[in-house]
């Protein structure tokens, strides 16, 4: 087996940030900083690799589940990423020293089910003069595009009140600008299916709606959790991959459907297929313990799943080991990419660890591009007391220490960030 190890686990976010986590080089030293908001979205914290606080800020968010997004993007072309976050009914940007340099308020802003006014933020290439512009989805059903000065470029309104958990960008028409994919839903915290309708939405870089189709036309759900765009078929066109296991064309028509081979697909990782055209895709599930997270080709042919792989079994029957977000990681320029996923401990919505109880051992899994086990890494974790549910963190595969090699950046439920390397 290959050697995988935790190179650094001293970075302590002091919370489990869920979606409210990002990495970025905010001071221009070639190394990444770690940016998080707490579960309420009220405390913004930026730490470096040595666990030193770069800055902290109090914000006007009053959420309950770690859902607002953090953006790290160089919007003023100074070689350093700005930190862009929601602040109540506004979006603000901080420089690497914590100085507020931009602000845009939204007077019509409402709140989503989790108490957040601006639940989705992202950086995209949408105008010729800027590498990064900001896309802000505002509760109440409006999407704004902001330039680097936070002036409004365009807006789209008349959408459903709430939005899905993430927003996605890719240039799928090869015009040099990003298209924008997301879901808009009546109640993001509500029931799945017809009683809580949601729409899959695709926008062009200028805000034109290219696709708006009901999620229920595809699956019994209100939204999609992960969306990927690209040439999965390898035929020179672009398609949209939905995390429940469906590939659709740009009109929204289904090309193939593997959703009946999974329980609840949640996250997508993909890479060019070294053995042919198109892509290889891995989807990890979240709910259920069926271990049907799977690897398949861009043409929808299943290669393997995780049913035979090592998986933790806990002494407490109420605790489940659910799959985490998956990643494609390329450890160096000479090696073939690998697939990473691990588990999160879930106890039905209630914290199970007290300060005196033993930690739980989880198993990080590394797979080759045939779905075979390349190695594993065991580590301890513990759910944080008092959190209802915390398990959809923005882990990453990126070079955070500037050595030219990718690492896995994985925030654990105990608040510590693991940086995983391969020797």
């Amino acid at each position: 087996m290959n050697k995988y190890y935790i190179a650094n686990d001293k970075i302590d976010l002091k919370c489990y940030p869920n979606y409210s986590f990002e990495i970025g080089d905010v001071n221009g030293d070639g190394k990444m900083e770690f940016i998080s908001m707490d579960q309420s979205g009220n405390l913004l914290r930026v730490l470096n690799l040595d666990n030193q606080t770069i800055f902290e800020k109090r914000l006007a968010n009053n959420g309950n589940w770690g859902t607002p997004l953090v953006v790290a993007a160089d919007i003023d072309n100074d070689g350093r990423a700005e930190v862009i976050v929601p602040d109540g009914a506004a979006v603000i940007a901080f420089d690497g020293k914590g100085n507020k340099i931009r602000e845009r308020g939204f007077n019509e802003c409402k709140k989503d089910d989790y108490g957040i006014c601006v639940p989705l933020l992202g950086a995209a290439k949408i105008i010729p003069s800027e590498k990064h512009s900001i896309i802000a989805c505002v509760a109440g059903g409006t999407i704004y595009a902001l330039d680097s000065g936070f002036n409004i470029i365009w807006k789209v309104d008349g959408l459903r009140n709430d939005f899905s958990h993430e927003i996605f960008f890719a240039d799928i028409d090869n015009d040099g600008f990003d298209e924008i994919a997301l879901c808009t839903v009546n109640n993001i915290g509500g029931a799945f299916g017809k009683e809580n309708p949601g729409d899959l939405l695709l926008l062009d870089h200028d805000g034109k709606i290219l696709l708006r189709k009901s999620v229920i036309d595809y699956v019994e759900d209100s939204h999609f959790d992960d969306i990927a765009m690209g040439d999965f078929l390898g035929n020179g066109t672009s398609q949209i991959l939905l995390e429940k296991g469906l590939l659709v064309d740009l009109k929204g028509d289904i090309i193939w459907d593997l959703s009946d081979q999974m329980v609840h697909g949640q996250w997508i990782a993909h890479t060019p297929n070294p053995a042919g055209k198109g892509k290889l895709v891995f989807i990890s599930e979240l709910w259920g313990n069926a271990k049907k997270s799977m690897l398949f080709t861009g043409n929808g042919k299943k290669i393997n799943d995780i049913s035979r792989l090592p998986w933790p079994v806990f002494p407490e029957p109420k605790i489940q080991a659910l799959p985490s977000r998956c990643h494609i990681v390329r450890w160096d320029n000479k090696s073939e990419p690998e697939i990473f996923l691990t588990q999160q401990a879930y106890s039905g919505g209630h914290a199970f660890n007290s300060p005196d109880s033993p930690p739980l051992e989880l198993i990080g899994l590394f797979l080759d591009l045939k779905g075979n086990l390349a190695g594993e890494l065991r580590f301890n974790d513990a759910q944080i007391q008092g959190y209802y549910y915390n398990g959809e963190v923005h882990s990453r595969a990126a070079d955070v220490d500037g050595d030219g090699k990718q690492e896995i950046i994985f925030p654990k439920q105990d608040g510590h960030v693991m940086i995983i390397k391969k020797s």
Side-chain angles (χ1 to χ4, degrees), residues 131-351:
K131 181 179 180 181
H132 297 298
S133 303
I134 300 301
I135 307 299
C137 298
V138 174
T142 306
I143 301 176
Y144 287 88
L146 308 177
D147 67 15
S148 60
F150 279 18
N151 302 298
I152 297 172
I153 303 171
W154 51 256
K155 75 173 185 176
V156 176
D157 53 21
L159 305 174
R160 299 184 187 277
N161 186 76
D162 290 6
F163 294 90
S164 50
H165 301 302
E166 305 191 58
I167 186 169
F168 308 93
F169 308 102
D171 179 12
I172 56 176
D173 56 7
N174 297 312
D175 64 355
F177 302 104
D178 287 331
E179 281 67 54
I180 304 159
L182 68 151
C183 289
T184 175
V185 60
N186 279 7
N187 298 103
I188 188 58
F192 295 163
K194 294 179 181 179
E195 64 270 31
N196 183 24
D199 298 324
L200 172 64
L201 193 67
L202 180 67
L203 303 178
D204 206 348
H205 68 276
D206 59 2
K208 178 183 177 181
I209 295 177
L210 301 175
L211 171 66
R212 185 176 183 179
K213 192 166 183 178
S214 175
V215 172
I216 203 68
D217 289 347
Y218 301 108
V219 292
E220 188 75 16
D221 210 322
S222 64
H223 63 282
F224 292 108
D225 294 285
D226 205 354
I227 301 170
M229 296 174 281
D231 184 5
F232 292 93
L233 298 175
N235 63 5
T237 67
S238 293
Q239 305 88 41
I240 303 169
L241 181 63
L242 307 171
E243 93 293 341
K244 296 299 183 290
L246 301 96
L247 189 74
V248 304
D249 62 24
L250 300 187
K251 296 179 180 180
D253 296 328
I254 297 173
I255 299 172
W256 51 254
D257 183 353
L258 296 178
S259 61
D260 61 349
Q261 298 189 43
M262 289 178 283
V263 178
H264 185 94
Q266 182 81 12
W267 297 291
I268 300 168
H270 58 87
T271 188
N273 187 350
K277 296 181 179 179
K279 294 179 179 289
L280 294 179
V281 181
F282 189 89
I283 289 182
S284 60
E285 297 192 291
L286 178 56
W287 297 111
N289 236 347
K291 295 198 291 185
K292 291 186 176 182
S293 301
M294 58 187 267
L295 176 68
F296 52 91
T297 70
N299 285 292
K301 180 181 179 181
K302 181 178 176 179
I303 299 172
N304 225 326
D305 60 36
I306 66 168
S307 59
R308 75 211 183 285
L309 299 180
W311 209 251
V313 177
F314 302 131
E316 299 91 338
K318 67 178 181 179
I319 304 173
Q320 300 179 55
L322 304 179
S324 70
R325 190 182 295 266
C326 53
H327 298 282
I328 300 291
V329 56
R330 188 161 190 168
W331 302 105
D332 56 54
N333 293 330
K334 298 178 182 179
S335 61
E336 187 176 78
E338 292 180 346
I339 303 160
F340 169 81
L341 81 156
T342 185
Q343 307 86 30
Q344 54 189 297
Y346 174 69
S347 62
H350 300 284

Side-chain angles (χ1 to χ4, degrees), residues 7 19 43 89 99 103 115 126 145 178 193 260 283 337 365 373 377 383:
Y19 288 101
L43 177 62
N99 300 308
E103 182 171 3
I126 60 170
D178 287 331
D260 61 349
I283 289 182
L365 300 174
L373 184 65
L377 175 67
Q383 191 178 37

